[in-house]
Amino acid sequence: MEKQTNNKMGSTPVFKLLMQMAIPMIISMLIQSLYNVVDSIFVGKYAYDALTAIGLAWPMQNLIIAFATGIGVGINATLSKSLGEKNYKKVTSSAVNGCFIMFIIYLLFLLSGLTLIPLYFKSISNNQAVINYGITYLKYIMIGSFGVLFSITFERLLQSTGKTGLVMISQASGTIINIILDPILIFGFGFIKSMGIHGAAIATLIGQFCSCFIGLILNIKYNKEIKIVKKDIKIDLIMIKEILLIGIPSSFMAAIASVLTFLFNRILLKFYDVINPITNTPYLDLPQTVFGLYFKLNSLFFMPVFGLNNALVPIVAYNYGAKEKVRLLKTFKYSLIIAIIMMTFGTLMFMIFPSQLLAIFAENKDVANQLSTVGNYCLRIISISFIFAGVCIVITSMFQALGNGVYSLICSFVRQLIVLLPCAYLLSLTNNLSLVWLSFLIAELVALLLSIILFKKVFRVKINLLSNEG
């Protein structure tokens, strides 16, 4: 029988608790991923080169989110563990110092946005129109990154205390505003003139700042577990170190995806003048465009799994702090089953409907047919790896919740930089684009094997030492 405690993460039946916390997160993540898709649909209808540009901008946008979510994991795990230990002074310190870290990160992205963007785009594109669109879009995003950084921070504070329903409100509100503003600002409406790619960026920033403001208000009004008064607002180097020890590996793990995507786009750039055997014309930007669309589409299935695991982290961290082994393992088991079901659905969608999924981004039928010549095989072959990826995501989330964030980093580093990129590069030497996509499947299999090996070690060293009661 599960022990009764004052906090629902230690008393509510595990499956019910996981669903209570995960469903709002899954819905909000799904809404967020729908924004990414809808945003690209509107931009694709505006201009094909602009569609390519926002795909190439994704690594830098993801870098911002990577550090926000990574440090958020550090705040989340530290704060949830402190709640489990009933150390409320440490709870407050986690929140205050987490916000301080996030502000320093914003200053770094602000500086990068003012200086590095032209160099970035010129390194991954030969198309001047794409470069111009990309520079315009990404400058807005990086200079205004305060909104997304702190919206994620405030959401993690709510999540740490189990208020995932409020997290959904914060995330969904900003995303919905974003979706509404996109067509208005891109194409114009009434007295509002068409702003094109400028409008896409501004709509994104407005949505992010709205989400940030709403998240702040929700924390002040409803997050009573975190009580901050003036005397508590002070820098604590020990707490900063504790957050960073978990958050930095998590940030680097997520940031590796940005490095991967940037370098993978460099590999795909080699196909610019290679002849597409289906159309007998040069590929040009087509492989990079399809690659960008793949990431937009896969978010429909990956983001809900990340939402599930955002619920897993505080539950596992709390019950690890409370030494509740049975509850911890039940959370892991249920999360694994749900993730596999979600990813199986994603694989089926990519296998059966690749042409239809790509066509929604095309400005006309000719562009849709062009995308299909490369995209159908790309989506189908990569989707085979989805189930393996789902298992890895759950296991790496366990590492983060148990304070072994460095293992998550190792798995991600090996998968993306040690295996995927070298495989992609070697396969690109054949000038056969279809072979390059196989690198994703190879890398995911290696990552799955490594994550299982490391999890067995964590289980033996940490989980097995907990009490068997629960």
Side-chain angles (χ1 to χ4, degrees):
M1 184 176 178
E2 294 178 352
K3 293 178 180 178
Q4 297 300 308
T5 69
N6 292 328
N7 191 294
K8 71 175 184 177
M9 286 191 280
S11 60
T12 304
V14 173
F15 184 76
K16 180 180 178 181
L17 174 65
L18 184 63
M19 290 298 95
Q20 284 177 347
M21 295 185 65
I23 289 175
M25 296 298 296
I26 290 171
I27 293 173
S28 62
M29 287 291 192
L30 185 58
I31 293 172
Q32 192 174 339
S33 62
L34 282 172
Y35 158 70
N36 290 330
V37 172
V38 172
D39 186 52
S40 294
I41 290 172
F42 288 127
V43 172
K45 303 300 181 187
Y46 172 71
Y48 176 80
D49 286 335
L51 179 64
T52 304
I54 65 169
L56 293 177
W58 184 87
M60 294 301 288
Q61 284 184 275
N62 182 70
L63 196 63
I64 298 169
I65 296 171
F67 277 92
T69 55
I71 298 301
V73 167
I75 298 169
N76 198 334
T78 304
L79 202 154
S80 294
K81 185 170 179 288
S82 300
L83 280 173
E85 296 168 342
K86 304 193 185 312
N87 187 339
Y88 298 107
K89 183 176 180 181
K90 197 173 178 182
V91 167
T92 300
S93 182
S94 298
V96 170
N97 287 278
C99 289
F100 174 74
I101 294 169
M102 208 64 76
F103 182 71
I104 299 300
I105 290 172
Y106 167 67
L107 294 179
L108 294 175
F109 281 117
L110 173 63
L111 181 62
S112 299
L114 294 171
T115 57
L116 300 178
I117 295 174
L119 179 64
Y120 167 78
F121 269 100
K122 289 175 183 177
S123 69
I124 53 175
S125 180
N126 293 329
N127 185 330
Q128 191 58 49
V130 169
I131 292 171
N132 291 340
Y133 278 128
I135 291 172
T136 298
Y137 180 79
L138 198 53
K139 274 192 175 181
Y140 278 102
I141 298 301
M142 294 193 72
I143 292 171
S145 60
F146 183 96
V148 67
L149 288 169
F150 277 88
S151 67
I152 290 174
T153 302
F154 297 143
E155 287 160 9
R156 291 300 178 269
L157 293 179
L158 291 167
Q159 179 190 329
S160 298
T161 55
K163 296 175 178 61
T164 50
L166 297 180
V167 173
M168 183 180 69
I169 293 172
S170 173
Q171 287 184 329
S173 58
T175 301
I176 292 170
I177 290 169
N178 214 330
I179 291 173
I180 293 171
L181 290 178
D182 254 331
I184 295 173
L185 298 183
I186 292 173
F187 300 107
F189 183 80
F191 65 90
I192 300 175
K193 295 182 179 180
S194 170
M195 300 174 69
I197 197 74
H198 296 267
I202 292 170
T204 296
L205 294 183
I206 292 174
Q208 290 171 350
F209 274 93
C210 286
S211 182
C212 176
F213 178 74
I214 291 170
L216 174 61
I217 296 301
L218 291 174
N219 269 282
I220 292 171
K221 189 169 183 179
Y222 297 108
N223 212 352
K224 303 303 181 183
E225 289 90 340
I226 303 174
K227 298 177 181 178
I228 300 176
V229 295
K230 189 174 181 180
K231 66 182 181 64
D232 294 322
I233 302 176
K234 58 184 178 181
I235 305 304
D236 184 338
L237 295 180
I238 294 176
M239 176 54 65
I240 288 174
K241 180 181 178 182
E242 189 171 343
I243 293 171
L244 292 179
L245 281 174
I246 299 173
I248 288 296
S250 301
S251 297
F252 283 172
M253 181 181 66
I256 286 172
S258 293
V259 177
L260 163 72
T261 311
F262 171 74
L263 294 177
F264 204 92
N265 273 313
R266 293 273 297 174
I267 292 171
L268 294 178
L269 189 60
K270 295 182 178 183
F271 288 89
Y272 194 86
D273 296 318
V274 174
I275 300 299
N276 183 338
I278 298 177
T279 62
N280 289 319
T281 57
Y283 280 115
L284 301 178
D285 298 312
L286 187 57
Q288 292 178 317
T289 305
V290 166
F291 185 51
L293 294 180
Y294 159 72
F295 273 105
K296 300 290 184 180
L297 289 168
N298 87 5
S299 69
L300 292 171
F301 310 104
F302 276 78
M303 291 292 277
V305 175
F306 289 132
L308 168 71
N309 288 285
N310 284 341
L312 174 153
V313 170
I315 297 174
V316 170
Y318 180 95
N319 285 285
Y320 179 63
K323 303 188 185 304
E324 292 281 355
K325 178 180 178 180
V326 174
R327 291 180 62 82
L328 186 154
L329 291 177
K330 282 183 178 180
T331 305
F332 173 62
K333 181 183 73 173
Y334 293 140
S335 298
L336 200 59
I337 293 169
I338 296 168
I340 290 172
I341 292 171
M342 288 179 175
M343 287 307 207
T344 300
F345 178 69
T347 299
L348 291 174
M349 291 295 292
F350 273 40
M351 285 288 185
I352 299 171
F353 304 112
S355 296
Q356 292 87 339
L357 290 171
L358 291 166
I360 63 176
F361 301 97
E363 54 187 315
N364 54 54
K365 190 174 180 180
D366 289 339
V367 173
N369 291 336
Q370 190 180 13
L371 291 172
S372 293
T373 64
V374 170
N376 285 2
Y377 183 81
C378 167
L379 265 57
R380 283 173 173 154
I381 196 66
I382 297 179
S383 70
I384 297 173
S385 67
F386 281 9
I387 295 174
F388 309 135
V391 175
C392 286
I393 291 169
V394 174
I395 293 176
T396 54
S397 295
M398 289 291 291
F399 292 152
Q400 293 162 5
L402 296 171
N404 292 94
V406 68
Y407 285 174
S408 299
L409 178 61
I410 290 170
C411 290
S412 193
F413 186 83
V414 168
R415 171 188 170 270
Q416 299 183 75
L417 300 185
I418 301 299
V419 180
L420 199 157
L421 278 175
C423 281
Y425 175 75
L426 292 173
L427 293 171
S428 74
L429 298 178
T430 65
N431 274 356
N432 185 338
L433 180 63
S434 294
L435 292 179
V436 175
W437 308 123
L438 284 171
S439 57
F440 281 87
L441 180 56
I442 296 168
E444 216 61 74
L445 286 168
V446 173
L448 178 61
L449 178 61
L450 178 61
S451 64
I452 290 173
I453 292 171
L454 292 175
F455 184 70
K456 285 183 177 180
K457 179 180 178 181
V458 171
F459 187 90
R460 183 178 67 253
V461 173
K462 287 194 169 182
I463 300 175
N464 247 359
L465 298 180
L466 299 178
S467 169
N468 285 315
E469 297 178 1

